[in-house]
């Protein structure tokens, strides 16, 4: 559905926004500053929206807003997520109706709902609030999976990894592709985080018990095989170029 730029230095907020934007069907492009958009980003395709996660103080947030306004011409719709105490200072910089200021949501569920409301005004169709594969129901706004009368709460990275694997059932997905999709960084070849998350998914989602096999493919990545009837597969979540069938 297009790219959405995410700007700001606050890592936790930025990461939560990145995950949300991806689940909403857009490509998140994280920029540590608006100046990075000129040197580190491909400007051949315009951003559909800008999301500013704000800074630790009003002066820094105001500087970020000014830099961003100066960098993008024409400016796409811009949403600023700010601490309440910064509202008065930053609101003075508003120049047109494409700028929106809201308080930083206090939970991932709230953030997902807010961003879903804003991106629903952009061109294109956004994914549904839930996706299903076999007997599994994934609730996109809460990192929750329901199956067999159970409700399992996953960590955000575990949930995103599960979505990637289920969306590409029957394919071997390369480790570096999974790292890029879930953690937005290249695999360093040493971290065991991916393997740990895979083990958690096998255990928490009772995959073997429910007829699913999640296995490592030596020298390649991971592959999930299981039931058919993939209701969620009608909407592509992410299709890397180097998936090995």
């Amino acid at each position: 559905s297009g790219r959405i730029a995410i700007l700001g230095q606050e890592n936790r907020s930025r990461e939560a926004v990145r995950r949300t934007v991806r689940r909403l069907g857009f490509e998140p492009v994280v920029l540590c500053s608006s100046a990075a958009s000129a040197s580190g980003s491909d400007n051949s395709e315009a951003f559909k929206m800008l999301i500013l996660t704000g800074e630790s103080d009003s002066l820094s947030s105001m500087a970020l807003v000014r830099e961003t306004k100066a960098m993008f011409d024409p400016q796409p719709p811009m949403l600023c997520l700010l601490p309440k105490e910064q509202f008065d200072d930053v609101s003075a910089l508003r120049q047109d109706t494409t700028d929106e200021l809201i308080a930083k949501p206090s939970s991932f569920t709230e953030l997902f709902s807010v961003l879903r409301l804003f991106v629903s005004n952009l061109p294109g169709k956004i994914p549904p609030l839930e996706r299903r594969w076999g007997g599994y129901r994934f609730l996109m706004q809460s990192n929750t999976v329901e199956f067999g009368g159970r409700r399992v709460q996953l960590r955000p990275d575990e949930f995103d990894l599960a979505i990637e694997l289920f969306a590409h059932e029957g394919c071997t997905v390369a480790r570096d592709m999974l790292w890029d999709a879930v953690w937005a960084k290249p695999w360093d070849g040493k971290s065991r985080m991916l393997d740990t998350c895979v083990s958690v998914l096998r255990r928490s989602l009772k995959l073997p018990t429910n007829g699913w096999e999640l296995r490592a493919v030596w020298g390649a990545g991971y592959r999930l095989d299981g039931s058919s009837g993939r209701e969620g597969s009608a909407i592509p979540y992410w299709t890397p170029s180097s998936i090995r069938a």
Side-chain angles (χ1 to χ4, degrees):
S1 296
R3 303 190 305 169
I4 291 180
I6 304 166
L7 299 96
Q9 295 289 344
E10 209 289 292
N11 290 334
R12 180 176 296 181
S13 296
R14 207 172 58 206
E15 177 62 9
V17 171
R18 182 193 70 80
R19 291 188 183 278
T20 304
V21 166
R22 188 173 185 81
R23 294 187 196 182
L24 290 170
F26 292 84
E27 178 189 352
V29 179
V30 177
L31 306 172
C32 293
S33 68
S34 55
S37 65
S39 59
S41 175
D42 178 8
N43 291 311
S44 61
E45 179 187 348
F47 292 113
K48 302 295 185 183
M49 185 177 182
L50 310 175
I51 301 177
L52 277 60
T53 58
E55 304 289 357
S56 58
D57 59 86
S58 293
L59 289 178
S60 298
S61 291
M62 290 169 68
L64 177 62
V65 171
R66 289 194 187 97
E67 290 174 7
T68 304
K69 285 178 176 291
M71 185 62 60
F72 295 93
D73 184 24
Q75 180 193 307
M78 184 168 71
L79 173 64
C80 301
L81 307 176
L82 298 169
K84 291 182 179 179
E85 61 270 18
Q86 296 185 19
F87 263 54
D88 289 343
D89 293 331
V90 180
S91 62
L93 298 179
R94 292 185 63 178
Q95 295 177 350
D96 54 55
T97 56
T98 64
D99 299 346
E100 295 289 348
L101 309 178
I102 64 170
K104 281 187 178 180
S106 59
S107 68
F108 183 83
T109 299
E110 183 182 346
L111 173 66
F112 188 96
S113 298
V114 167
L115 294 189
R116 190 171 190 271
L117 176 63
F118 276 91
V119 302
S120 65
N121 296 318
L122 300 177
K125 183 179 179 180
I126 60 175
L129 287 173
E130 63 180 58
R131 301 188 69 190
R132 295 175 183 264
W133 288 274
Y136 291 95
R137 178 172 175 249
F138 289 80
L139 306 182
M140 304 298 285
Q141 74 275 30
S142 63
N143 301 310
T144 301
V145 185
E146 296 180 349
F147 63 97
R150 300 170 179 263
R151 286 177 62 93
V152 173
Q153 186 77 30
L154 298 175
R155 291 189 338 197
D157 56 351
E158 295 164 353
F159 187 92
D160 287 344
L161 177 60
I163 288 290
E164 295 295 336
L165 293 169
F166 273 91
H168 299 96
E169 176 195 345
C171 296
T172 299
V173 187
R175 296 179 70 98
D176 57 345
M177 291 295 178
L178 290 171
W179 267 93
D180 182 65
V182 178
W183 291 280
K185 59 183 179 181
W187 179 47
D188 62 10
K190 298 179 181 179
S191 175
R192 303 294 296 174
M193 189 180 303
L194 173 58
D195 308 280
T196 299
C197 283
V198 166
S199 297
V200 169
L201 293 181
R202 286 198 192 101
R203 180 176 65 254
S204 299
L205 301 184
K206 309 293 183 183
L207 293 176
T209 302
N210 289 289
W212 294 80
E213 181 186 16
L214 175 54
R215 60 188 176 89
V217 179
W218 189 85
Y222 279 97
R223 179 182 179 114
L224 178 67
D225 292 290
S227 305
S228 58
R230 293 168 289 164
E231 178 181 320
S233 63
I235 299 176
Y237 184 76
W238 177 62
T239 307
S241 59
S242 60
I243 290 180
R244 302 176 181 87

